[in-house]
Amino acid sequence: MLPRPVAVTRTGSGTFTLDAATTLGADPACAGVAHWLRTALSGATGLPLPGPAGPGGIALTVDPTMPAEGYHLRVRPDGIAITGGSPAGAFYGAQTLRQLLPPAVYRRAPVTAGPWTVPGVEIADAPRFGWRGCMLDVARHFLPVAGVLRLVDLLAAHKLNVLHLHLTDDQGWRIQIRRYPRLTEVGGWRAESMVGSRQHERFDGRPHGGYYSQDDIREIVAYAAERFVTVVPEIDLPGHTQAAIAAYPELGNDSGEPAAVGTRWGVSGRVLNVSDETVAFFRHVLDEVMELFPSRHIGIGGDECVKDEWRASPLAQQRMRDLGLRGEDELQGWFVRQFQQHLAASGRMLFGWDEILEGSLPPGATVAAWRGPALAVAAARAGHEVVACWDTAAYLDYRQSDGPDEPIPVGTVLTVADVRAFEPVPADLPAELRDRIVGAQCNLWTEHADSPRTVDYLAFPRLSAFAEAVWSAAGSADGFDDRLHAHLGRLDALGVEYRPPGGPLPWQRRPDAAGWPRDRADREAELAALTRNVQQS
Amino acid sequence: MLPRPVAVTRTGSGTFTLDAATTLGADPACAGVAHWLRTALSGATGLPLPGPAGPGGIALTVDPTMPAEGYHLRVRPDGIAITGGSPAGAFYGAQTLRQLLPPAVYRRAPVTAGPWTVPGVEIADAPRFGWRGCMLDVARHFLPVAGVLRLVDLLAAHKLNVLHLHLTDDQGWRIQIRRYPRLTEVGGWRAESMVGSRQHERFDGRPHGGYYSQDDIREIVAYAAERFVTVVPEIDLPGHTQAAIAAYPELGNDSGEPAAVGTRWGVSGRVLNVSDETVAFFRHVLDEVMELFPSRHIGIGGDECVKDEWRASPLAQQRMRDLGLRGEDELQGWFVRQFQQHLAASGRMLFGWDEILEGSLPPGATVAAWRGPALAVAAARAGHEVVACWDTAAYLDYRQSDGPDEPIPVGTVLTVADVRAFEPVPADLPAELRDRIVGAQCNLWTEHADSPRTVDYLAFPRLSAFAEAVWSAAGSADGFDDRLHAHLGRLDALGVEYRPPGGPLPWQRRPDAAGWPRDRADREAELAALTRNVQQS
């Protein structure tokens, strides 16, 4: 099983076999989980699994005295009992039951006639962390709804419970805002798709774009909720906003040329101005975002804001004098606070990258610590919740090996084993601040992933390793390789085009064509440049 | 509704509204259809629709005295009754019921709270043709399993019932054959992906590949069968076999250089030799294909075989002398017959492109007439079944307009209206041969479709128009534009990125970049070259 449960007791030869007579039922509290499990199992098995649960069937119940996301799973010849601390716990028990069946159970239609036998077992399990997330960047390359729903299913199969959607960036704005239609009409596409690592030589000249309508967002949110995944939206500001400025030039600083939606990777110098009108604009944007996303956390990004335009802007300099701010970092702090207050008035919590610590943010935000454990400690000390996601452990766009075949040689090497070894609690965090580490997430940036197939290659199986790092007890990686080997069979059945342990498949390999560096020095120079781009703050 | 049913009677204000109390049940004969409909409706509505059918519910029954694929649908305030001539007919009635609901019913999770109201109506319906197909070329660009299953759902939503999978070609071999692993190990990928229309300037340098494992195939076949779609496989031979020859050079003619999997579009001159060993090889291949595909029809392609290698081959010339054949066309006829006999011995029927008429093929094959109605007439006269699919009416890779924005300017212009006007029965077909036209299919070649998004753009909404041409009574296109307009709302809810009636969206548009022709004369020359490539036989 992956992630590894807290306690597993094999109870010998007494197995349970699902067949045409098997029933499946649930407490009213988890009727939705039973419906999900019936649908999930009936595709591959062809079994109806009718309710209610009868003797010798599968029964789902809730026991609120247990940890909310924990579950107990008991498989005996006379029936399967799953008890969750909440419907979410029952759902994770149901996901574990799927893993106890043959991998073909993950198919969407029958490829074998069974038998669908589950070993006799007792499992007691609960997650180590409450925030078990994956950030998906849909701005750099748009992923249509079907691909997002598929990813939700894959996250849920790994007992992850947060999908952080990076919806806006320099290179695209991906969410319909009724009040500001040009955000998607103009900001929703760019003139070039861009692939590969040397953009200038490798762009393919095709326009790229797309966005989610508000109904698309509602569908994604509702679909995820049925699988106990919370979708946390991010509207990145005040940097990473070139697409918004291209759509509404009045959001930018006077100093700039007219902006187009970005067509190169790296961080743009085009950032929002700090006028009252711009603050009001993005409060309106966040109002529509809050309508669509019930998530307690609402992301405002806050990362990598280049301050050059503010240094040259009379408006920004005047604002700083009026407010008595010392330096542009404090100005960014002021800007971010305008949204913290606005979100708080609606009962929401500000979520941002660790740059939101610059300036003076009142306690009570949630900080995604991407630049390393030191930032996590700083955020915890400052009274914030922390989601650990440093690039050296959780950036799934980083290269998986330093082999010459690796197709997307960006970042530093981050192997499956590296991700499994990810420890979200910094060693030097004072014990009394331990609870401020609410969890971790892996981050899937898509500059170099222009198709669902490439997303699969980057994400898997490292995302599986991440799931164990964030669910299972600390230091329990024993047997991980064997568990992962078995798990690859499930990914095969799910149609996930992961990177095989032996290296990329021929069609996943690095191109060997004009425009790609030919010798090692050239490649190293390229890697260094890319690593700088990604790591600059 | 689209395709338009044979007879629709609106019965006034007496509507039916689905709610939490609504039951859904079926005859044992169509329990699978009820299961499918429950799953299809419960995603968007959140309603459980439990069985069995009670008073005031939705009831599915079978009446074998009706046409097998026909159905009767009656919606009254006191219940919905769907009667099919077979489970397939009941399934089409259920698909029509979905179309009577608000478009949001096509979402996979709730985006509205309803109400889920169906107008009072009586519908009697049955298809005009029995073969209502779509050919998908997965050789030129591989479409992973999830994309194929999604297409199956879309075909079924349009009441199409055949998915013809073009599994092999010069540029790739996409089906695992246990006996010959190099077919996929070597033939399953090529060194370049290739996109755009001027390959030499536009290829993106990335390797491309992928294939379906035998379990993947079983999953696709079973998933399609549950939706009454028959998957008809095609192993193209003796031409379009460069990928196979790259994997097993002994299949080729001596005259050739060592072959690599093709990396340019157009027709390769590398073709199979006519040795006994090659015949035996492909009989073994077809044995595994027949194991996997229960379809009565098995495709062997037969199109566009360049005969130059045979003209230069002592083996081929000797074979012709031994058999008393006059010319290479007769040799191809002999070659194809080796497989017709082999398939017949397993109770299967040979299916091929209309070039199989060259040489002397015994009656009783099924011919996909792609080069025009004259070939359909010739095939019918020769005693074959005919599937109409001429390029001027059914090639969905052809450009949708002659506007400068059209992203993939190949072929001749084929608009939505052109496809809707497709008449599969040639005007000059003698009446007594009418029954030999078993139906039609649209063909989705993917030289220029390297992603599911581009497949969507090419296929929709023309595939919707095709569905009406092949299902609905001849000459009944009245109101098509209004029906299509309503149908686009369903495609939106399904996440289909179709071409809007007003032209491509900005990110669907033709690139305006180096390597693309800049002036009209240049573009016209390119179009002419491409059209020649596609049309050559």
Side-chain angles (χ1 to χ4, degrees):
Chain A
M1 286 160 283
L2 197 162
R4 172 161 136 159
V6 171
V8 178
T9 313
R10 299 270 170 180
T11 52
S13 60
T15 62
F16 180 93
T17 299
L18 280 68
D19 61 26
T22 302
T23 58
L24 168 64
D27 276 355
C30 51
V33 178
H35 176 75
W36 172 86
L37 181 59
R38 182 177 296 118
T39 305
L41 296 178
S42 67
T45 65
L47 300 174
L49 304 171
I58 303 170
L60 299 164
T61 54
V62 167
D63 173 358
T65 67
M66 292 170 52
E69 292 192 303
Y71 66 90
H72 183 258
L73 167 64
R74 193 193 63 206
V75 179
R76 290 189 193 164
D78 62 350
I80 295 178
I82 298 172
T83 305
S86 70
F91 180 75
Y92 297 128
Q95 290 284 9
T96 297
L97 173 59
R98 276 172 105 194
Q99 294 202 350
L100 292 169
L101 284 157
V105 79
Y106 286 88
R107 297 271 177 185
R108 291 177 60 184
V111 302
T112 77
W116 302 104
T117 298
V118 191
V121 73
E122 291 222 19
I123 297 176
D125 198 12
R128 182 175 173 209
F129 292 105
W131 182 298
R132 303 181 300 279
C134 174
M135 189 283 300
L136 177 68
D137 170 10
V138 294
R140 270 58 174 268
H141 282 104
F142 179 66
L143 188 67
V145 173
V148 177
L149 300 186
R150 175 174 176 269
L151 182 64
V152 166
D153 279 324
L154 292 170
L155 298 184
H158 288 85
K159 302 189 174 79
L160 301 184
N161 67 351
V162 172
L163 172 61
H164 165 188
L165 277 186
H166 181 75
L167 288 163
T168 68
D169 212 306
D170 295 321
Q171 296 87 3
W173 183 284
R174 305 282 176 231
I175 177 173
Q176 178 193 11
I177 300 295
R178 296 188 309 275
R179 187 176 179 124
Y180 303 118
R182 286 172 55 85
L183 286 173
T184 43
E185 288 169 9
V186 173
W189 66 284
R190 60 180 182 261
E192 296 165 17
S193 173
M194 307 179 288
V195 290
S197 63
R198 284 197 153 182
Q199 308 87 353
H200 210 70
E201 291 166 302
R202 304 275 304 151
F203 82 92
D204 66 2
R206 293 192 289 184
H208 178 81
Y211 65 88
Y212 306 114
S213 72
Q214 296 207 340
D215 269 352
D216 291 341
I217 294 286
R218 287 186 189 96
E219 183 178 22
I220 291 167
V221 167
Y223 188 87
E226 290 170 356
R227 288 149 184 82
F228 301 93
V229 171
T230 300
V231 185
V232 176
E234 178 191 342
I235 304 295
D236 205 349
L237 55 83
H240 289 283
T241 44
Q242 188 172 321
I245 295 167
Y248 292 96
E250 61 269 30
L251 298 172
N253 292 282
D254 317 322
S255 54
E257 299 280 304
V261 179
T263 56
R264 289 292 177 270
W265 306 135
V267 177
S268 166
R270 306 303 299 269
V271 303
L272 299 181
N273 66 40
V274 293
S275 69
D276 293 338
E277 289 77 11
T278 294
V279 170
F281 183 103
F282 277 92
R283 284 178 173 170
H284 289 311
V285 167
L286 290 175
D287 287 342
E288 292 194 31
V289 167
M290 287 189 282
E291 253 179 53
L292 293 167
F293 293 90
S295 164
R296 188 166 72 103
H297 296 86
I298 302 289
I300 56 81
D303 56 319
E304 301 181 321
C305 179
V306 179
K307 309 295 194 313
D308 295 346
E309 288 191 341
W310 288 355
R311 288 187 194 102
S313 158
L315 172 72
Q317 297 301 315
Q318 184 63 44
R319 177 74 82 187
M320 286 166 60
R321 283 191 296 276
D322 290 349
L323 295 168
L325 301 176
R326 284 163 307 182
E328 285 74 16
D329 282 356
E330 289 198 3
L331 183 58
Q332 166 157 348
W334 170 83
F335 193 80
V336 166
R337 287 199 301 279
Q338 306 313 302
F339 302 103
Q340 187 181 28
Q341 294 156 5
H342 188 70
L343 294 173
S346 296
R348 308 301 181 97
M349 194 161 177
L350 182 125
F351 172 59
W353 301 105
D354 57 39
E355 288 93 334
I356 61 174
L357 297 172
E358 298 163 12
S360 48
L361 188 69
T366 301
V367 174
W370 72 280
R371 291 179 297 175
L375 275 297
V377 174
R381 286 191 190 278
H384 304 295
E385 291 184 353
V386 177
V387 176
C389 58
W390 28 95
D391 62 337
T392 51
Y395 268 40
L396 300 190
D397 59 324
Y398 280 14
R399 54 192 163 136
Q400 311 206 35
S401 80
D402 60 2
D405 279 348
E406 206 57 51
I408 298 168
V410 307
T412 49
V413 172
L414 187 67
T415 66
V416 175
D418 293 335
V419 175
R420 176 62 191 85
F422 179 23
E423 171 48 62
V425 178
D428 57 346
L429 184 76
E432 69 274 18
L433 299 180
R434 163 64 186 78
D435 288 349
R436 299 234 168 113
I437 310 292
V438 296
Q441 66 182 31
C442 52
N443 292 335
L444 198 42
W445 299 105
T446 59
E447 284 94 335
H448 307 284
D450 64 340
S451 83
R453 303 185 73 184
T454 310
V455 171
D456 272 14
Y457 179 86
L458 292 178
F460 295 96
R462 292 189 294 189
L463 187 142
S464 310
F466 170 80
E468 184 156 304
V470 72
W471 175 281
S472 302
S476 68
D478 285 1
F480 173 73
D481 290 347
D482 290 343
R483 280 198 305 290
L484 181 63
H485 179 77
H487 193 65
L488 296 182
R490 296 178 198 122
L491 297 183
D492 283 330
L494 284 161
V496 174
E497 298 191 272
Y498 56 84
R499 179 189 190 276
L505 296 167
W507 55 91
Q508 295 174 324
R509 284 183 197 147
R510 185 180 176 85
D512 182 23
W516 285 82
R518 293 252 168 67
D519 61 44
R520 186 158 184 93
D522 194 11
R523 189 159 71 86
E524 289 309 317
E526 177 195 32
L527 292 178
L530 284 159
T531 304
R532 265 198 309 282
N533 258 353
V534 172
Q535 291 183 333
Q536 76 178 265
S537 61
Chain B
M1 286 160 283
L2 197 161
R4 173 160 136 161
V6 171
V8 178
T9 313
R10 299 270 170 179
T11 52
S13 60
T15 62
F16 180 94
T17 300
L18 281 67
D19 61 26
T22 303
T23 58
L24 168 64
D27 276 355
C30 50
V33 178
H35 176 74
W36 172 85
L37 181 59
R38 181 177 295 117
T39 304
L41 296 178
S42 68
T45 65
L47 300 174
L49 304 170
I58 303 169
L60 299 164
T61 55
V62 167
D63 173 359
T65 68
M66 292 169 53
E69 291 192 304
Y71 66 91
H72 183 259
L73 167 64
R74 193 194 63 206
V75 180
R76 289 188 193 165
D78 62 350
I80 295 177
I82 298 172
T83 305
S86 70
F91 180 75
Y92 297 128
Q95 289 283 10
T96 297
L97 173 59
R98 277 173 104 196
Q99 294 202 350
L100 292 169
L101 284 157
V105 79
Y106 286 89
R107 298 272 176 183
R108 291 176 60 183
V111 302
T112 77
W116 301 104
T117 299
V118 191
V121 72
E122 292 221 17
I123 296 175
D125 199 10
R128 182 176 173 207
F129 292 106
W131 182 298
R132 303 181 302 279
C134 175
M135 188 284 298
L136 177 68
D137 170 10
V138 294
R140 270 57 175 267
H141 281 104
F142 178 67
L143 188 66
V145 173
V148 177
L149 301 186
R150 176 174 175 270
L151 182 64
V152 166
D153 279 324
L154 292 170
L155 298 184
H158 289 86
K159 302 188 174 79
L160 301 184
N161 67 350
V162 172
L163 172 61
H164 165 188
L165 277 185
H166 181 76
L167 287 162
T168 68
D169 212 307
D170 295 321
Q171 297 87 4
W173 184 283
R174 305 281 176 232
I175 176 173
Q176 178 192 10
I177 300 296
R178 295 188 309 274
R179 186 176 180 124
Y180 303 117
R182 287 173 54 85
L183 286 172
T184 43
E185 288 169 8
V186 173
W189 66 284
R190 59 180 183 260
E192 296 166 19
S193 172
M194 307 179 288
V195 289
S197 62
R198 283 196 152 183
Q199 308 89 351
H200 210 69
E201 291 165 302
R202 305 274 305 145
F203 82 91
D204 68 1
R206 293 191 288 184
H208 178 82
Y211 65 89
Y212 307 113
S213 71
Q214 295 206 342
D215 270 352
D216 291 341
I217 295 286
R218 287 185 189 96
E219 182 178 23
I220 292 167
V221 167
Y223 188 87
E226 290 171 356
R227 287 147 184 83
F228 301 94
V229 171
T230 300
V231 185
V232 175
E234 179 191 341
I235 305 295
D236 205 350
L237 54 82
H240 289 282
T241 44
Q242 189 172 319
I245 295 167
Y248 291 95
E250 61 269 32
L251 298 173
N253 292 283
D254 317 321
S255 52
E257 300 280 301
V261 179
T263 56
R264 289 292 177 268
W265 306 134
V267 177
S268 165
R270 305 303 299 270
V271 305
L272 299 180
N273 66 41
V274 293
S275 69
D276 292 337
E277 291 76 11
T278 294
V279 170
F281 183 103
F282 278 92
R283 283 178 174 171
H284 288 310
V285 167
L286 289 174
D287 287 343
E288 293 195 31
V289 167
M290 287 190 282
E291 253 180 52
L292 294 167
F293 293 90
S295 165
R296 188 166 71 103
H297 295 86
I298 302 289
I300 56 80
D303 56 320
E304 302 181 321
C305 179
V306 179
K307 310 294 195 315
D308 294 348
E309 288 189 342
W310 288 354
R311 288 188 193 99
S313 157
L315 171 72
Q317 297 301 316
Q318 184 64 44
R319 178 73 82 183
M320 287 165 60
R321 282 191 296 276
D322 290 349
L323 296 167
L325 302 176
R326 285 162 308 180
E328 286 74 16
D329 282 355
E330 288 196 5
L331 182 58
Q332 166 156 349
W334 170 84
F335 194 78
V336 166
R337 286 198 301 279
Q338 307 312 303
F339 303 103
Q340 187 181 29
Q341 293 156 3
H342 188 70
L343 295 173
S346 297
R348 307 301 182 97
M349 194 161 176
L350 182 124
F351 172 59
W353 302 105
D354 56 40
E355 287 93 334
I356 61 173
L357 297 171
E358 298 163 11
S360 47
L361 189 68
T366 301
V367 175
W370 72 279
R371 291 179 297 174
L375 274 298
V377 173
R381 285 190 191 279
H384 304 295
E385 290 184 355
V386 178
V387 176
C389 59
W390 28 95
D391 63 337
T392 50
Y395 268 40
L396 300 190
D397 59 323
Y398 280 15
R399 53 189 163 140
Q400 311 205 37
S401 80
D402 59 2
D405 279 349
E406 207 56 53
I408 298 167
V410 307
T412 50
V413 172
L414 188 67
T415 65
V416 174
D418 293 335
V419 175
R420 177 60 192 86
F422 180 21
E423 171 48 61
V425 178
D428 56 345
L429 184 77
E432 69 273 17
L433 298 180
R434 163 64 186 78
D435 289 349
R436 299 233 168 112
I437 311 292
V438 296
Q441 67 182 33
C442 52
N443 292 336
L444 198 41
W445 299 104
T446 59
E447 284 94 334
H448 306 284
D450 64 340
S451 83
R453 303 185 73 184
T454 310
V455 170
D456 272 15
Y457 180 87
L458 293 178
F460 295 96
R462 291 189 295 190
L463 187 143
S464 309
F466 170 80
E468 184 156 304
V470 74
W471 175 282
S472 302
S476 70
D478 286 0
F480 173 73
D481 290 346
D482 290 344
R483 279 199 305 288
L484 181 63
H485 179 78
H487 193 66
L488 295 182
R490 295 177 198 122
L491 297 182
D492 283 330
L494 284 162
V496 174
E497 298 191 273
Y498 56 84
R499 180 189 190 274
L505 295 167
W507 56 91
Q508 294 175 325
R509 284 185 196 143
R510 184 181 176 85
D512 181 23
W516 285 83
R518 293 249 167 70
D519 61 43
R520 184 155 187 95
D522 194 12
R523 189 159 71 86
E524 290 309 317
E526 177 196 30
L527 293 178
L530 284 159
T531 305
R532 267 199 307 281
N533 259 354
V534 172
Q535 290 183 336
Q536 73 177 270
S537 62

